[in-house]
Amino acid sequence: MSGPHVIRGSVTLPESELQWRFSRSSGPGGQHVNTSDSQVELRFDLVSTEALPPVWKERALQRLAGRMTGGVLSVRASEHRSQWRNREAAAVRLAALLAEATAPPPKSRKPTRIPRGINERRLREKKQRADTKRGRSGRDWH
């Protein structure tokens, strides 16, 4: 593989905690597909890992609860004809998934107050428009 799989900052996925499984892919490749195991399934045990800081691990477990089976996160890749490229794609996908799941929550939005002058101007213009329309409804207007 091409080096460590960086999640964010200096936190990486250790190769020893990744479990690879290969099977026949249904994707492109013609007769080659029938003979080679190019589909890749990458599994990462999120519950028992020590690679992530406890806060990140807790966040990831909470956010990825629906995607995990028995505390194990699984990612598949079969879009390429070669097993090597599918391995790369699966590793990148897993790292991106964990990076998104461990990201800190966004800051809460504080609603801004509308300045009084803007509201007054809006009401004044609304009144002028109503007066203009009211002036058009008389008998002399036709």
Side-chain angles (χ1 to χ4, degrees):
M1 294 304 308
S2 61
H5 310 291
V6 179
I7 296 175
R8 198 171 55 248
S10 62
V11 179
T12 59
L13 289 176
E15 193 66 40
S16 61
E17 292 189 16
L18 300 178
Q19 299 167 352
W20 299 91
R21 211 174 100 197
F22 308 101
S23 59
R24 292 197 177 130
S25 177
S26 62
Q31 293 175 349
H32 172 73
V33 173
N34 302 330
T35 59
S36 64
D37 294 339
S38 60
Q39 178 173 295
V40 174
E41 182 180 357
L42 176 57
R43 296 166 58 87
F44 179 65
D45 193 353
L46 193 56
V47 173
S48 63
T49 186
E50 296 296 323
L52 299 176
V55 176
W56 287 20
K57 186 174 169 180
E58 193 176 311
R59 246 186 243 149
L61 284 170
Q62 185 180 9
R63 291 180 182 169
L64 297 173
R67 280 201 62 147
M68 293 190 304
T69 307
V72 177
L73 184 61
S74 179
V75 174
R76 280 191 182 178
S78 63
E79 58 266 13
H80 302 291
R81 285 178 67 168
S82 85
Q83 186 187 99
W84 182 260
R85 288 179 66 191
N86 282 332
R87 283 176 67 122
E88 290 285 331
V92 166
R93 204 172 293 156
L94 179 67
L97 194 64
L98 285 171
E100 187 179 328
T102 58
K107 286 185 179 178
S108 59
R109 184 186 168 275
K110 293 181 182 174
T112 55
R113 230 180 108 258
I114 299 173
R116 198 173 81 205
I118 290 177
N119 207 24
E120 288 175 355
R121 185 177 67 219
R122 181 183 64 84
L123 292 173
R124 186 174 58 247
E125 288 171 358
K126 193 173 174 180
K127 198 171 211 52
Q128 283 176 343
R129 183 81 178 136
D131 290 342
T132 303
K133 288 186 170 192
R134 196 175 302 116
R136 292 179 186 160
S137 66
R139 283 195 331 184
D140 301 336
W141 179 249
H142 298 284

